[in-house]
């Protein structure tokens, strides 16, 4: 039974940016849920690889890139997230103007080419160009239209629908590391990546057939970063909060497997920490969205960011070489950090009109891309300065999450007022 607003004793936000013509959302039905399925298929390659950065970091740092420093290796995986988000300023307006096929079809081709090139790469520059640059840009053209298309079909149930689509990242983050873990030692890392490329080709084909928009094209959209939108205090505050939470989330995702190897866990189990994290992330993508539709999206982001900071600063920092504690951290962090991927686009949709969503979402994540670019290399540099120890990296990630918590509280207050009963 769904909880009523009266039972929750929550008051709605004082104002809404939805115009009357946007109020008639399908909120379900075959066509709307087929779009969610298409978004899911598009996000398995893009977000699945993003959630697999930890095992790719651990593997390449001990194989192809064993002669490079942690900071140098960090730039490769930080750059993947950077290009995934940075190109959103161009992809978003193209989506608004022409629809999803103009970006998702070339993005699908680019992703397959990227993975095939990555499978043959041995040198640093080859991995950087194939995986980080081409792979990151292709992932953006899959992720951005996928999230944006769902917004066209759901309003009241937007958090739930987006969360269901975003479970793709967790499922990809389980499947891809397991393929690498069990296939790479037997048939080679290159063939493991080619198997992943084949799976992505099938999923991208389905996504190209299912993704579609509902609202008429916005011909006024321009392919550039819309810094003028930051004059809107509500949108600017939301962007800062999302910047910090995305800055924080990739530190544990990238370094948890390497941490396992550092404390002496055998290779198979250290690599399995990434699937454990993503097993937690699967329900963590859609359950917070389901709750957020009832209690408020910003409210849930405050809660999840706070819990992630406590898990990092308490459980991971104190885990030491206790494997059970590390596995618990990976699973719990995977669950509570899921909202950083699935709910942040929904938060943006609450502070802008739907017809401008593609551009606003792209602008926000272009700004966010700076954090994803530098976060992993900074963590690597901290580790090097600490003589290879991970204490500084863990504190860095935990403090970033605390900062995100505070900023989401401020953004919520600016957007909807300071009453604890406000649903926003």
């Amino acid at each position: 039974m769904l909880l009523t607003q009266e039972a929750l004793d929550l008051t709605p936000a004082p104002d809404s940016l939805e115009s009357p013509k946007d109020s008639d959302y399908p909120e379900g039905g075959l066509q709307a849920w087929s779009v969610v399925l298409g978004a899911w298929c598009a996000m398995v390659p893009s977000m699945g690889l993003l959630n697999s950065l930890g095992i790719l970091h651990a593997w390449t740092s001990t194989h192809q890139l064993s002669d490079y420093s942690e900071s140098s290796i960090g730039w490769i995986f930080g750059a993947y997230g950077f290009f995934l988000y940075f190109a959103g300023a161009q992809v978003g307006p193209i989506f608004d103007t022409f629809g999803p096929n103009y970006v998702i079809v070339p993005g699908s081709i680019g992703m397959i080419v990227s993975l095939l090139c990555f499978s043959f790469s041995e040198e640093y520059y080859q991995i950087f160009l194939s995986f980080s640059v081409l792979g990151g840009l292709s992932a953006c053209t899959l992720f951005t239209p996928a999230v944006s298309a769902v917004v066209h079909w759901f309003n009241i149930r937007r958090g739930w629908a987006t969360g269901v689509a975003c479970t793709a990242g967790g499922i990809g983050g389980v499947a891809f590391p397991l393929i690498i873990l069990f296939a790479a030692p037997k048939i080679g890392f290159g063939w493991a990546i080619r198997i992943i490329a084949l799976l992505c080709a099938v999923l991208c084909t389905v996504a190209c057939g299912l993704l579609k928009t509902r609202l008429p094209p916005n011909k006024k959209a321009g392919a550039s970063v819309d810094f003028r939108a930051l004059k809107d205090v509500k949108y600017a505050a939301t962007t800062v909060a999302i910047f910090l939470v995305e800055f924080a989330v990739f530190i544990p995702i990238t370094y948890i497997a390497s941490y396992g190897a550092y404390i002496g866990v055998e290779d198979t189990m250290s690599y399995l920490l990434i699937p454990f994290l993503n097993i937690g992330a699967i329900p963590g993508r859609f359950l917070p969205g389901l709750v957020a539709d009832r209690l408020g999206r910003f409210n849930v982001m405050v809660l999840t960011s706070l819990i992630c900071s406590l898990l990092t600063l308490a459980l991971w920092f104190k885990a030491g070489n206790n494997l059970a504690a590390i596995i618990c951290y990976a699973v719990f962090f995977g669950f509570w950090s899921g909202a950083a991927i699935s709910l942040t686009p929904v938060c943006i949709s609450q502070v802008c009109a739907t017809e401008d969503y593609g551009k606003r979402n792209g602008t926000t994540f272009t700004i966010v891309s700076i954090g994803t670019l530098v976060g992993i290399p900074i963590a690597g540099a901290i580790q090097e300065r600490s003589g290879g120890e991970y204490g500084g990296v863990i504190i860095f990630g935990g403090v970033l999450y605390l900062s995100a918590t505070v900023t989401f509280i401020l953004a919520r207050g600016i957007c909807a007022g300071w009453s604890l009963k406000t649903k926003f």
Side-chain angles (χ1 to χ4, degrees):
M1 179 181 297
L2 297 180
L3 294 176
T4 63
Q5 182 175 300
E6 291 80 4
L8 291 169
D9 192 25
L10 292 171
T11 57
D15 47 26
S16 171
L17 290 170
E18 298 293 347
S19 59
K21 68 178 181 179
D22 294 336
S23 61
D24 188 23
Y25 288 80
E27 300 294 350
L30 178 61
Q31 193 169 28
W33 284 110
S34 69
V35 171
V36 173
L37 176 59
W40 186 90
C41 291
M43 281 195 263
V44 170
S46 56
M47 305 310 292
L49 286 172
L50 189 67
N51 286 359
S52 303
L53 291 183
I55 195 168
L56 294 173
H57 176 275
W59 180 278
T60 55
S61 63
T62 55
H63 292 80
Q64 298 99 314
L65 305 176
S66 58
D67 294 332
Y68 290 85
S69 67
E70 282 293 328
S71 180
S72 298
I73 297 171
W75 283 109
I76 286 179
F77 300 105
Y80 178 88
F82 169 78
F83 285 109
L84 190 158
Y85 290 144
F86 178 77
Q90 286 69 46
V91 173
I94 295 173
F95 169 87
D96 287 338
T97 305
F98 300 106
N101 284 341
Y102 278 82
V103 285
I104 199 168
V105 172
S108 299
I109 297 171
M111 177 59 72
I112 306 310
V113 172
S114 163
L115 289 170
L116 291 176
C117 292
F118 180 38
S119 71
F120 291 102
S121 299
E122 294 291 337
E123 302 295 331
Y124 185 97
Y125 78 92
Q126 294 172 340
I127 296 174
F128 187 87
L129 291 176
S130 63
F131 180 77
S132 304
V133 180
L134 181 56
L137 291 172
S138 301
C140 179
T141 60
L142 296 174
F143 171 69
T144 302
V147 172
S148 301
V150 173
V151 170
H152 279 241
W153 297 88
F154 294 86
N155 182 25
I156 297 173
R157 305 175 71 189
R158 185 175 292 171
W160 162 244
T162 304
V164 170
C166 286
T167 60
I171 291 172
V174 172
F176 296 163
L178 289 178
I179 291 171
I180 293 171
L181 176 62
F182 292 106
K186 297 178 180 179
I187 60 177
F189 180 77
W191 278 107
I193 297 299
R194 286 167 212 143
I195 292 172
I196 293 173
L198 177 60
L199 291 175
C200 292
V202 174
L203 291 166
C204 287
T205 301
V206 176
C208 290
L210 293 180
L211 277 181
K212 59 188 69 176
T213 58
R214 180 181 64 90
L215 299 177
N218 179 10
K219 300 298 184 180
K220 296 181 179 179
S224 63
V225 177
D226 186 14
F227 285 120
R228 292 173 298 178
L230 295 173
K231 293 179 181 179
D232 180 350
V233 178
K234 296 179 180 180
Y235 171 70
T238 302
T239 296
V240 173
I242 293 173
F243 175 90
L244 288 171
V245 79
E246 297 288 350
F247 201 145
V249 71
F250 294 113
I251 306 301
I253 289 174
T254 303
Y255 283 96
I256 188 70
S258 299
Y259 177 82
Y262 166 75
I263 62 171
V265 175
E266 55 99 11
D267 287 347
T268 299
M269 182 54 69
S270 64
Y271 290 155
L272 280 173
L273 289 173
I274 299 300
F276 278 129
L277 188 150
N278 284 293
I279 286 172
I282 294 170
R285 291 290 193 267
F286 69 87
L287 287 180
L290 182 63
V291 175
D293 288 338
R294 290 157 175 76
L295 302 183
R297 288 78 181 250
F298 279 71
N299 294 339
V300 171
M301 283 305 305
V302 170
L303 176 64
T304 57
S305 298
L306 176 61
I307 292 177
C308 284
S309 67
L310 296 177
L311 285 171
T312 302
L313 293 174
L315 183 55
W316 190 15
F317 187 72
K318 290 294 185 179
N321 60 358
N322 186 324
L323 179 59
I326 297 167
I327 292 174
C328 286
Y329 171 77
V331 174
F332 286 130
F333 177 82
F335 177 83
W336 289 104
S337 66
I341 303 298
S342 62
L343 277 188
T344 48
V346 184
C347 290
I348 297 169
S349 72
Q350 278 196 244
V351 293
C352 71
T354 302
E355 63 266 25
D356 295 327
Y357 174 74
K359 187 171 185 178
R360 290 290 181 95
N361 186 64
T363 299
T364 296
F365 280 100
T366 298
I367 297 171
V368 165
S369 68
I370 304 300
T372 61
L373 174 65
V374 303
I376 298 174
I378 289 174
I382 292 172
Q383 183 192 6
E384 289 177 23
R385 290 289 298 270
S386 303
E389 296 182 358
Y390 279 76
V393 174
I394 297 170
I395 292 173
F396 177 58
V399 170
L400 281 174
Y401 256 115
L402 275 177
S403 302
T405 303
V406 173
T407 313
F408 264 110
I409 291 172
L410 294 174
R412 177 194 178 280
I414 292 170
C415 293
W418 302 99
S419 172
L420 294 178
K421 295 182 178 181
T422 300
K423 173 187 171 181
F424 191 80

